[in-house]
CSV table of all heavy atoms in Angstrom, one decimal:
chain,number,residue,atom,x,y,z
A,39,LYS,N,111.4,109.5,70.2
A,39,LYS,CA,110.0,109.3,70.7
A,39,LYS,C,109.7,109.8,72.1
A,39,LYS,O,108.6,109.7,72.5
A,39,LYS,CB,109.7,107.8,70.6
A,39,LYS,CG,109.6,107.2,69.2
A,39,LYS,CD,109.2,105.7,69.2
A,39,LYS,CE,109.1,105.2,67.8
A,39,LYS,NZ,108.7,103.8,67.8
A,40,GLY,N,110.7,110.2,72.8
A,40,GLY,CA,110.4,110.6,74.2
A,40,GLY,C,110.4,109.4,75.1
A,40,GLY,O,110.8,108.3,74.6
A,41,ARG,N,110.0,109.5,76.3
A,41,ARG,CA,110.1,108.4,77.3
A,41,ARG,C,109.0,108.6,78.3
A,41,ARG,O,108.8,109.8,78.8
A,41,ARG,CB,111.5,108.4,77.9
A,41,ARG,CG,111.7,107.2,78.9
A,41,ARG,CD,113.1,107.2,79.4
A,41,ARG,NE,114.1,106.9,78.4
A,41,ARG,CZ,114.5,105.7,78.1
A,41,ARG,NH1,114.0,104.6,78.7
A,41,ARG,NH2,115.3,105.5,77.1
A,42,LEU,N,108.5,107.5,78.8
A,42,LEU,CA,107.5,107.5,79.9
A,42,LEU,C,108.2,107.1,81.1
A,42,LEU,O,108.8,106.0,81.2
A,42,LEU,CB,106.3,106.6,79.6
A,42,LEU,CG,105.3,106.5,80.7
A,42,LEU,CD1,104.5,107.8,80.9
A,42,LEU,CD2,104.3,105.4,80.4
A,43,TYR,N,108.2,108.0,82.2
A,43,TYR,CA,108.7,107.6,83.5
A,43,TYR,C,107.6,107.3,84.5
A,43,TYR,O,106.7,108.1,84.7
A,43,TYR,CB,109.5,108.8,84.0
A,43,TYR,CG,110.8,109.1,83.2
A,43,TYR,CD1,110.8,110.0,82.2
A,43,TYR,CD2,112.0,108.5,83.5
A,43,TYR,CE1,111.9,110.3,81.4
A,43,TYR,CE2,113.2,108.7,82.8
A,43,TYR,CZ,113.1,109.6,81.8
A,43,TYR,OH,114.3,109.9,81.0
A,44,VAL,N,107.7,106.1,85.0
A,44,VAL,CA,106.7,105.7,86.0
A,44,VAL,C,107.3,106.0,87.4
A,44,VAL,O,108.2,105.4,87.9
A,44,VAL,CB,106.4,104.2,85.9
A,44,VAL,CG1,105.3,103.8,86.9
A,44,VAL,CG2,106.0,103.8,84.5
A,45,VAL,N,106.8,107.1,88.0
A,45,VAL,CA,107.4,107.7,89.2
A,45,VAL,C,106.6,107.4,90.5
A,45,VAL,O,105.5,107.8,90.6
A,45,VAL,CB,107.6,109.2,89.1
A,45,VAL,CG1,108.4,109.8,90.2
A,45,VAL,CG2,108.3,109.6,87.8
A,46,ALA,N,107.3,106.7,91.4
A,46,ALA,CA,106.6,106.4,92.7
A,46,ALA,C,106.7,107.7,93.6
A,46,ALA,O,107.7,108.3,93.6
A,46,ALA,CB,107.3,105.3,93.4
A,47,THR,N,105.6,108.0,94.2
A,47,THR,CA,105.5,109.2,95.0
A,47,THR,C,105.1,108.8,96.5
A,47,THR,O,104.6,107.7,96.7
A,47,THR,CB,104.5,110.2,94.5
A,47,THR,OG1,103.2,109.6,94.3
A,47,THR,CG2,105.0,110.8,93.1
A,48,PRO,N,105.3,109.7,97.4
A,48,PRO,CA,104.9,109.4,98.8
A,48,PRO,C,103.5,108.9,99.0
A,48,PRO,O,102.6,109.3,98.4
A,48,PRO,CB,105.2,110.7,99.6
A,48,PRO,CG,106.2,111.4,98.7
A,48,PRO,CD,105.8,111.1,97.3
A,49,ILE,N,103.4,108.0,100.0
A,49,ILE,CA,102.0,107.5,100.3
A,49,ILE,C,101.4,108.2,101.5
A,49,ILE,O,100.3,108.0,102.0
A,49,ILE,CB,102.0,106.0,100.7
A,49,ILE,CG1,103.0,105.7,101.8
A,49,ILE,CG2,102.4,105.2,99.4
A,49,ILE,CD1,103.1,104.2,102.2
A,50,GLY,N,102.2,109.2,102.0
A,50,GLY,CA,101.7,110.0,103.2
A,50,GLY,C,102.7,111.1,103.5
A,50,GLY,O,102.5,112.3,103.3
A,51,ASN,N,103.8,110.6,104.1
A,51,ASN,CA,104.9,111.6,104.4
A,51,ASN,C,105.6,112.1,103.2
A,51,ASN,O,106.2,111.3,102.4
A,51,ASN,CB,105.9,110.8,105.3
A,51,ASN,CG,106.9,111.8,106.0
A,51,ASN,OD1,107.4,112.7,105.3
A,51,ASN,ND2,107.1,111.6,107.3
A,52,LEU,N,105.6,113.4,102.9
A,52,LEU,CA,106.1,113.9,101.7
A,52,LEU,C,107.7,113.8,101.6
A,52,LEU,O,108.2,113.9,100.5
A,52,LEU,CB,105.8,115.4,101.6
A,52,LEU,CG,104.3,115.7,101.4
A,52,LEU,CD1,104.1,117.3,101.3
A,52,LEU,CD2,103.8,115.1,100.2
A,53,GLU,N,108.3,113.4,102.7
A,53,GLU,CA,109.8,113.2,102.6
A,53,GLU,C,110.1,111.8,102.0
A,53,GLU,O,111.3,111.5,101.7
A,53,GLU,CB,110.4,113.3,104.0
A,53,GLU,CG,110.3,114.7,104.6
A,53,GLU,CD,110.9,114.8,106.0
A,53,GLU,OE1,111.3,113.7,106.5
A,53,GLU,OE2,110.9,115.9,106.5
A,54,ASP,N,109.1,111.0,101.8
A,54,ASP,CA,109.3,109.6,101.3
A,54,ASP,C,109.3,109.6,99.7
A,54,ASP,O,108.5,109.0,99.1
A,54,ASP,CB,108.3,108.6,101.8
A,54,ASP,CG,108.4,108.4,103.3
A,54,ASP,OD1,109.5,108.5,103.8
A,54,ASP,OD2,107.4,108.0,103.9
A,55,ILE,N,110.3,110.3,99.2
A,55,ILE,CA,110.5,110.2,97.7
A,55,ILE,C,112.0,110.2,97.4
A,55,ILE,O,112.8,110.8,98.2
A,55,ILE,CB,109.8,111.4,97.0
A,55,ILE,CG1,109.9,111.3,95.5
A,55,ILE,CG2,110.4,112.8,97.5
A,55,ILE,CD1,109.0,112.2,94.7
A,56,THR,N,112.4,109.5,96.4
A,56,THR,CA,113.8,109.4,96.2
A,56,THR,C,114.4,110.6,95.5
A,56,THR,O,113.7,111.4,94.9
A,56,THR,CB,114.1,108.2,95.2
A,56,THR,OG1,113.6,108.4,93.9
A,56,THR,CG2,113.5,106.9,95.8
A,57,LEU,N,115.7,110.8,95.6
A,57,LEU,CA,116.4,111.9,94.9
A,57,LEU,C,116.2,111.8,93.4
A,57,LEU,O,116.0,112.8,92.7
A,57,LEU,CB,117.8,111.9,95.3
A,57,LEU,CG,118.2,112.2,96.8
A,57,LEU,CD1,119.7,112.0,97.0
A,57,LEU,CD2,117.7,113.6,97.2
A,58,ARG,N,116.2,110.6,92.9
A,58,ARG,CA,116.1,110.4,91.5
A,58,ARG,C,114.6,110.8,91.1
A,58,ARG,O,114.4,111.4,90.0
A,58,ARG,CB,116.4,108.9,91.1
A,58,ARG,CG,116.3,108.7,89.6
A,58,ARG,CD,116.5,107.2,89.4
A,58,ARG,NE,116.5,106.9,88.0
A,58,ARG,CZ,116.1,105.7,87.5
A,58,ARG,NH1,115.8,104.7,88.3
A,58,ARG,NH2,116.0,105.5,86.2
A,59,GLY,N,113.7,110.4,91.9
A,59,GLY,CA,112.3,110.8,91.6
A,59,GLY,C,112.1,112.3,91.5
A,59,GLY,O,111.4,112.8,90.6
A,60,LEU,N,112.7,113.0,92.4
A,60,LEU,CA,112.6,114.5,92.4
A,60,LEU,C,113.3,115.0,91.1
A,60,LEU,O,112.8,115.9,90.4
A,60,LEU,CB,113.3,115.1,93.6
A,60,LEU,CG,112.5,114.8,94.9
A,60,LEU,CD1,113.3,115.4,96.1
A,60,LEU,CD2,111.1,115.5,94.9
A,61,ARG,N,114.5,114.5,90.8
A,61,ARG,CA,115.2,114.9,89.6
A,61,ARG,C,114.3,114.7,88.3
A,61,ARG,O,114.2,115.6,87.5
A,61,ARG,CB,116.5,114.2,89.5
A,61,ARG,CG,117.3,114.6,88.2
A,61,ARG,CD,118.6,114.0,88.1
A,61,ARG,NE,118.6,112.5,88.1
A,61,ARG,CZ,118.2,111.8,87.0
A,61,ARG,NH1,117.9,112.4,85.9
A,61,ARG,NH2,118.2,110.5,87.1
A,62,VAL,N,113.8,113.5,88.2
A,62,VAL,CA,113.0,113.2,87.0
A,62,VAL,C,111.8,114.2,86.9
A,62,VAL,O,111.4,114.7,85.9
A,62,VAL,CB,112.5,111.7,87.1
A,62,VAL,CG1,111.4,111.5,86.0
A,62,VAL,CG2,113.7,110.8,86.8
A,63,LEU,N,111.1,114.4,88.1
A,63,LEU,CA,109.9,115.3,88.0
A,63,LEU,C,110.3,116.7,87.6
A,63,LEU,O,109.5,117.5,87.0
A,63,LEU,CB,109.2,115.3,89.4
A,63,LEU,CG,108.5,114.0,89.8
A,63,LEU,CD1,107.9,114.1,91.2
A,63,LEU,CD2,107.4,113.7,88.8
A,64,ARG,N,111.6,117.1,88.0
A,64,ARG,CA,112.0,118.4,87.5
A,64,ARG,C,112.4,118.5,86.1
A,64,ARG,O,112.3,119.5,85.4
A,64,ARG,CB,113.3,118.8,88.3
A,64,ARG,CG,113.0,119.2,89.8
A,64,ARG,CD,114.2,119.8,90.5
A,64,ARG,NE,113.9,120.2,91.8
A,64,ARG,CZ,114.3,119.4,92.9
A,64,ARG,NH1,114.9,118.3,92.7
A,64,ARG,NH2,114.0,119.8,94.1
A,65,GLU,N,112.8,117.3,85.5
A,65,GLU,CA,113.3,117.3,84.1
A,65,GLU,C,112.3,117.0,83.1
A,65,GLU,O,112.4,117.3,81.9
A,65,GLU,CB,114.5,116.3,84.0
A,65,GLU,CG,115.7,116.7,84.9
A,65,GLU,CD,116.8,115.7,84.8
A,65,GLU,OE1,116.6,114.6,84.3
A,65,GLU,OE2,117.9,116.0,85.3
A,66,VAL,N,111.2,116.2,83.4
A,66,VAL,CA,110.2,115.8,82.4
A,66,VAL,C,109.5,117.1,81.8
A,66,VAL,O,109.4,118.1,82.5
A,66,VAL,CB,109.2,114.8,82.9
A,66,VAL,CG1,109.9,113.5,83.3
A,66,VAL,CG2,108.5,115.4,84.1
A,67,ASP,N,109.0,116.9,80.6
A,67,ASP,CA,108.2,118.0,80.0
A,67,ASP,C,106.8,118.1,80.6
A,67,ASP,O,106.2,119.2,80.6
A,67,ASP,CB,108.1,117.7,78.5
A,67,ASP,CG,109.4,117.7,77.8
A,67,ASP,OD1,110.2,118.6,78.0
A,67,ASP,OD2,109.7,116.7,77.1
A,68,LEU,N,106.3,117.0,81.1
A,68,LEU,CA,104.9,117.0,81.5
A,68,LEU,C,104.7,115.9,82.6
A,68,LEU,O,105.3,114.9,82.6
A,68,LEU,CB,104.0,116.6,80.3
A,68,LEU,CG,102.5,116.6,80.5
A,68,LEU,CD1,101.9,118.0,80.7
A,68,LEU,CD2,101.8,116.0,79.3
A,69,VAL,N,103.8,116.2,83.6
A,69,VAL,CA,103.4,115.2,84.6
A,69,VAL,C,102.0,114.8,84.4
A,69,VAL,O,101.1,115.7,84.4
A,69,VAL,CB,103.7,115.8,86.0
A,69,VAL,CG1,103.2,114.8,87.1
A,69,VAL,CG2,105.2,116.1,86.2
A,70,ALA,N,101.7,113.5,84.2
A,70,ALA,CA,100.4,113.0,84.2
A,70,ALA,C,100.0,112.5,85.5
A,70,ALA,O,100.6,111.5,86.0
A,70,ALA,CB,100.3,111.9,83.1
A,71,ALA,N,99.0,113.1,86.2
A,71,ALA,CA,98.7,112.8,87.6
A,71,ALA,C,97.3,112.3,87.7
A,71,ALA,O,96.3,112.7,87.1
A,71,ALA,CB,98.9,114.0,88.4
A,72,GLU,N,97.1,111.3,88.6
A,72,GLU,CA,95.8,110.7,88.9
A,72,GLU,C,94.9,111.8,89.5
A,72,GLU,O,93.7,111.9,89.2
A,72,GLU,CB,95.9,109.5,89.9
A,72,GLU,CG,94.6,108.8,90.1
A,72,GLU,CD,94.8,107.6,91.0
A,72,GLU,OE1,95.9,107.4,91.6
A,72,GLU,OE2,93.8,106.9,91.2
A,73,ASP,N,95.5,112.6,90.4
A,73,ASP,CA,94.8,113.8,91.0
A,73,ASP,C,95.7,114.9,91.0
A,73,ASP,O,96.7,115.0,91.8
A,73,ASP,CB,94.3,113.4,92.4
A,73,ASP,CG,93.4,114.5,93.0
A,73,ASP,OD1,93.6,115.7,92.6
A,73,ASP,OD2,92.6,114.2,93.9
A,74,THR,N,95.5,115.9,90.1
A,74,THR,CA,96.4,117.0,90.0
A,74,THR,C,96.5,117.8,91.3
A,74,THR,O,97.6,118.4,91.6
A,74,THR,CB,96.0,118.0,88.8
A,74,THR,OG1,94.7,118.4,89.0
A,74,THR,CG2,96.1,117.2,87.5
A,75,ARG,N,95.5,117.9,92.1
A,75,ARG,CA,95.5,118.6,93.3
A,75,ARG,C,96.5,118.0,94.3
A,75,ARG,O,97.3,118.7,94.9
A,75,ARG,CB,94.1,118.7,94.0
A,75,ARG,CG,93.1,119.4,93.2
A,75,ARG,CD,91.7,119.1,93.7
A,75,ARG,NE,91.4,117.7,93.6
A,75,ARG,CZ,90.2,117.2,94.0
A,75,ARG,NH1,89.3,118.0,94.6
A,75,ARG,NH2,90.0,115.9,93.9
A,76,GLN,N,96.5,116.7,94.4
A,76,GLN,CA,97.5,116.0,95.3
A,76,GLN,C,98.9,116.1,94.8
A,76,GLN,O,99.8,116.4,95.6
A,76,GLN,CB,97.1,114.5,95.3
A,76,GLN,CG,95.9,114.2,96.1
A,76,GLN,CD,96.0,114.5,97.6
A,76,GLN,OE1,95.4,115.4,98.1
A,76,GLN,NE2,96.8,113.7,98.3
A,77,THR,N,99.1,116.0,93.5
A,77,THR,CA,100.4,116.1,92.9
A,77,THR,C,100.9,117.5,93.0
A,77,THR,O,102.2,117.7,93.3
A,77,THR,CB,100.4,115.6,91.5
A,77,THR,OG1,100.0,114.3,91.4
A,77,THR,CG2,101.8,115.7,90.9
A,78,ARG,N,100.1,118.5,92.9
A,78,ARG,CA,100.5,119.9,93.0
A,78,ARG,C,101.1,120.2,94.4
A,78,ARG,O,102.0,120.9,94.6
A,78,ARG,CB,99.3,120.8,92.7
A,78,ARG,CG,99.8,122.3,92.5
A,78,ARG,CD,98.7,123.1,91.9
A,78,ARG,NE,98.5,122.9,90.5
A,78,ARG,CZ,97.5,122.3,89.9
A,78,ARG,NH1,96.5,121.9,90.7
A,78,ARG,NH2,97.4,122.2,88.6
A,79,LYS,N,100.5,119.6,95.4
A,79,LYS,CA,101.0,119.7,96.8
A,79,LYS,C,102.4,119.2,96.9
A,79,LYS,O,103.3,119.9,97.5
A,79,LYS,CB,100.1,119.0,97.8
A,79,LYS,CG,98.7,119.5,97.9
A,79,LYS,CD,97.9,118.7,98.9
A,79,LYS,CE,96.5,119.1,99.0
A,79,LYS,NZ,95.7,118.2,99.9
Side-chain angles (χ1 to χ4, degrees):
K39 291 185 178 180
R41 182 177 293 270
L42 176 65
Y43 292 92
V44 184
V45 185
T47 55
I49 57 178
N51 192 316
L52 292 180
E53 295 179 357
D54 291 334
I55 187 169
T56 67
L57 294 175
R58 185 183 178 209
L60 291 174
R61 177 178 61 78
V62 167
L63 290 176
R64 288 190 178 99
E65 293 177 354
V66 292
D67 298 311
L68 181 71
V69 176
E72 186 179 5
D73 186 334
T74 55
R75 295 167 300 179
Q76 290 294 110
T77 302
R78 191 169 283 113
K79 293 178 185 178

